[in-house]
Amino acid sequence: MPVEITWWGHATCTVEDSGVRVLTDPLFVRRLAHLRRRRGELPPPGAWRADVALVSHLHSDHLHVPSLARLAPDTRLIVPRGASKAVPGLSRRLAHLRITEVVAGDHTKVGDLVVRAVPARHDGRRLNVGPQRAPALGYVIEGEARTYFAGDTGLFASMAEEVGPVDAALLPVGGWGPYLGEGHLNAERAAEALARLAPRSAVPVHYGTYWPIGMDAVRPHEFHAPGEEFVRLAAERAPAVDVYRLEHGESVRLEAAR
């Protein structure tokens, strides 16, 4: 059975494997604080349907409570340990979901899938200041294939070892502003991560969707170019990997694990 990956924009993807729908970092709004969606239509209501949703870290463009509130009752929600305490009202507003808190190394069974939490190198705070903190994570979805969703992360020495062998990788290649801070992958670092992980397939995410209001003319290449740049660099550094640069709402079907 092939695995199907759909990119809805930013870090939001649907991974369908073994009859289970996995949704990553759901974000279903046209505007978030100072950000607005500049490319791609909003995901349709069908995108809200999932058996399990994965949240990589506490930043509001990844843990977005109003978007999570749209998920159907009894949907499983996997979040970093401490998220319910760190995000005011999370448990109350998402009482209709089955929330599981995890740390790196934890395994969660969902139908015929196992979701394994892996480390990420990223700021785990909810805000830039304050004590609201939980570990930033990535996830490996293990079913017919092993699909790595990196969330937000910087490149780190033990990445390949801690993630383990994977068949597909959803890698962030940009951001939502003209400059990337610590704990992020740009196209070049994502290509290096791809060379270390050596999956069969990869999909670039986390670029070309949201941009700060009023900054359209500030370093616009950082908004438009990361996907194409990642494709070019991946061909140089990891030529054995098939890279699929999807448009918003587009899907790709991949072969099952080798």
Side-chain angles (χ1 to χ4, degrees):
M1 178 185 298
V3 174
E4 185 168 284
I5 297 169
T6 304
W7 182 51
W8 301 111
H10 202 52
T12 306
C13 302
T14 295
V15 179
E16 297 188 60
D17 188 335
S18 305
V20 179
R21 286 176 61 93
V22 182
L23 184 63
T24 65
D25 286 350
L27 187 58
F28 301 138
V29 291
R30 196 169 302 281
R31 179 171 174 176
L32 174 64
H34 63 298
L35 305 179
R36 66 180 174 94
R37 191 176 181 110
R38 288 190 56 207
R39 181 181 289 174
E41 295 298 320
L42 284 176
W48 309 348
R49 184 169 61 87
D51 299 293
V52 58
L54 311 179
V55 169
S56 61
H57 62 288
L58 300 189
H59 291 163
S60 59
D61 57 322
H62 293 259
L63 196 167
H64 185 250
V65 177
S67 293
L68 293 171
R70 297 181 182 181
L71 301 180
D74 291 328
T75 301
R76 176 74 67 87
L77 174 62
I78 299 178
V79 299
R81 183 174 296 172
S84 296
K85 182 179 179 181
V87 181
L90 181 69
S91 296
R92 173 180 54 80
R93 296 181 65 184
L94 302 181
H96 64 299
L97 306 180
R98 293 183 292 144
I99 300 176
T100 301
E101 297 195 353
V102 298
V103 295
D106 285 351
H107 294 68
T108 306
K109 187 168 177 58
V110 183
D112 290 332
L113 296 184
V114 173
V115 177
R116 177 167 54 92
V118 298
R121 297 297 185 268
H122 191 68
D123 186 354
R125 293 175 296 179
R126 178 65 166 173
L127 304 172
N128 291 332
V129 295
Q132 303 92 349
R133 180 182 297 275
L137 299 172
Y139 296 97
V140 178
I141 303 159
E142 301 178 349
E144 293 287 333
R146 294 157 297 188
T147 302
Y148 171 47
F149 168 61
D152 256 358
T153 187
L155 193 64
F156 55 99
S158 61
M159 175 181 277
E161 177 184 353
E162 302 210 53
V163 171
V166 292
D167 300 290
L170 310 179
L171 294 177
V173 301
W176 51 251
Y179 301 97
L180 282 175
E182 290 292 324
H184 292 87
L185 295 178
N186 60 11
E188 182 176 8
R189 293 191 291 272
E192 175 59 27
L194 194 66
R196 297 183 188 185
L197 294 167
R200 284 193 299 174
S201 307
V203 175
V205 302
H206 205 279
Y207 78 100
T209 308
Y210 291 92
W211 202 247
I213 293 169
M215 298 189 70
D216 291 23
V218 180
R219 295 174 61 85
H221 63 283
E222 296 289 353
F223 177 83
H224 293 284
E228 291 90 345
E229 185 71 358
F230 174 72
V231 172
R232 182 182 69 80
L233 292 170
E236 295 176 0
R237 302 187 186 185
V241 181
D242 294 323
V243 177
Y244 299 91
R245 189 184 70 80
L246 303 179
E247 299 295 335
H248 293 79
E250 189 176 6
S251 303
V252 61
R253 302 187 79 183
L254 307 175
E255 295 181 9
R258 47 179 169 249

